[in-house]
Amino acid sequence: MNDEADPTPPRDHFAHIVRDWAHFGPPLRPPAGDVAAMQRAIDTLGRAPRAVVLGLTPEIVGCDWPEGTELSAVDHSPAMMRMLWPPMRAPANARAMLANWCAMPMPDRSVDVVVGDGCYVVFGFPDGYRSLTREVHRILRPSGRFVIRVFLRPDRRETLDRIVGDFEAARISSVHALKIRLWAAMHGANGPGTRPDDVRRAWLGFPPLPAGLAGRIGWTSEELETIESPRPPETRYFLPTLQEFREHMSPGFRELECHRDGGHELADLCPTFVFETTEASPGD
């Protein structure tokens, strides 16, 4: 897959979803099993590590960090910064930085660990992914760790008819899982990646909500609004296959773990990886 599109995400992409963000749930936000995988990687750090979190995800910022951790949460969205910072739980003296993930204000080889959740999806593939990966590699020290949950699409495209059938049979746990399946199923159908607004339009053609799902957590009216809200037509999400993602990461990173047991039906499409830097540069 080689999606010809702007490799960088729209400016303050999250300004368009900040109203809905509080109603996002797993697997759009990290489930407990994936947070536990992140915590295991954090537990391997020594005392007083320098950590960078890509974004302001409360589940990551609020992990049990080693004593003396110097944590910087980097986000490009003023709207999300106003909503999520300061956090309910974080290491002492944690700070938030308004900056581009592809141009972070950190010296070369100065960070012990970088952690993020779903960050790649707003970048074009492969060029945007490469920009982010190179920047993470630049700031990490030798043998530094990169812990990242990613959204993938399956090797074989799922049909909309199958998704609608699972929906009618109440076999989809939440509207959040439905969105990811639609992102993957509609990938490349209308140009590079998937336009969230095309997913919204597809949803408007679905049958009525089955009685077995109505009002259930994952299908509340507030959660349903997160798929019904219009999105800017220029916004696109990019989901590589597992093989494509591994090939993308392999020049500069060595895979230590791929956690695919997040306790939900899309665990295979939302794995959490733990990588270690190598001496090679990403993109070599």
Side-chain angles (χ1 to χ4, degrees):
M1 178 182 66
N2 190 343
D3 289 325
E4 298 297 334
D6 185 350
T8 58
R11 182 171 178 82
D12 200 0
H13 160 77
F14 289 99
H16 300 292
I17 64 172
V18 67
R19 180 179 66 87
D20 297 330
W21 192 89
H23 302 297
F24 287 175
L28 282 182
R29 289 175 62 171
D34 290 286
V35 176
M38 295 175 180
Q39 182 66 62
R40 287 196 301 272
I42 291 168
D43 290 342
T44 66
L45 301 172
R47 186 180 180 279
R50 293 193 68 185
V52 167
V53 174
L54 300 176
L56 308 166
T57 307
E59 293 89 342
I60 300 177
V61 174
C63 280
D64 292 324
W65 293 89
E67 181 182 354
T69 296
E70 182 181 329
L71 187 146
S72 299
V74 180
D75 201 282
H76 74 282
S77 170
M80 293 299 284
M81 196 82 72
R82 289 190 294 270
M83 179 180 183
L84 294 176
W85 203 269
M88 295 287 293
R89 174 182 166 89
N93 302 316
R95 61 176 180 166
M97 304 176 67
L98 190 64
N100 185 331
W101 289 337
C102 296
M104 290 183 277
M106 284 92 177
D108 294 357
R109 299 188 169 198
S110 63
V111 173
D112 297 293
V113 64
V114 175
V115 188
D117 182 66
C119 306
Y120 278 106
V121 74
V122 295
F123 289 86
F125 186 91
D127 291 344
Y129 274 55
R130 188 177 298 117
S131 296
L132 176 56
T133 301
R134 283 176 172 165
E135 180 66 359
V136 170
H137 192 276
R138 180 189 70 79
I139 67 172
L140 278 171
R141 291 177 175 148
S143 300
R145 301 298 168 87
F146 183 25
V147 185
I148 184 74
R149 193 170 72 102
V150 298
F151 297 124
L152 305 173
R153 72 184 202 281
D155 293 329
R156 172 175 287 187
R157 185 189 302 273
E158 191 174 28
T159 66
L160 287 179
D161 285 346
R162 179 179 177 182
I163 296 173
V164 170
D166 283 349
F167 171 76
E168 291 183 300
R171 290 194 293 263
I172 302 178
S173 66
S174 69
V175 68
H176 317 297
L178 172 64
K179 280 194 277 189
I180 294 173
R181 288 178 67 175
L182 288 173
W183 292 352
M186 301 179 69
H187 204 272
N190 191 5
T194 301
R195 297 196 309 185
D197 207 53
D198 289 342
V199 167
R200 178 185 69 88
R201 294 172 187 275
W203 161 252
L204 295 177
F206 267 52
L209 190 68
L213 297 179
R216 185 194 299 179
I217 292 177
W219 296 100
T220 65
S221 58
E222 294 85 359
E223 289 170 301
L224 288 172
E225 285 180 12
T226 69
I227 196 172
E228 294 169 355
S229 300
R231 301 287 184 241
E234 70 272 12
T235 301
R236 294 179 183 270
Y237 296 155
F238 297 84
L239 292 76
T241 64
L242 177 60
Q243 180 179 347
E244 287 171 341
F245 183 70
R246 281 178 162 154
E247 289 175 352
H248 162 77
M249 295 298 298
S250 62
F253 288 90
R254 176 168 47 252
E255 183 180 323
L256 301 180
E257 180 181 353
C258 177
H259 175 81
R260 289 189 283 179
D261 185 18
H264 58 90
E265 76 266 33
L266 294 187
D268 283 346
L269 296 184
C270 311
T272 295
F273 287 91
V274 180
F275 293 104
E276 180 181 61
T277 57
T278 69
E279 287 302 314
S281 297
D284 285 356

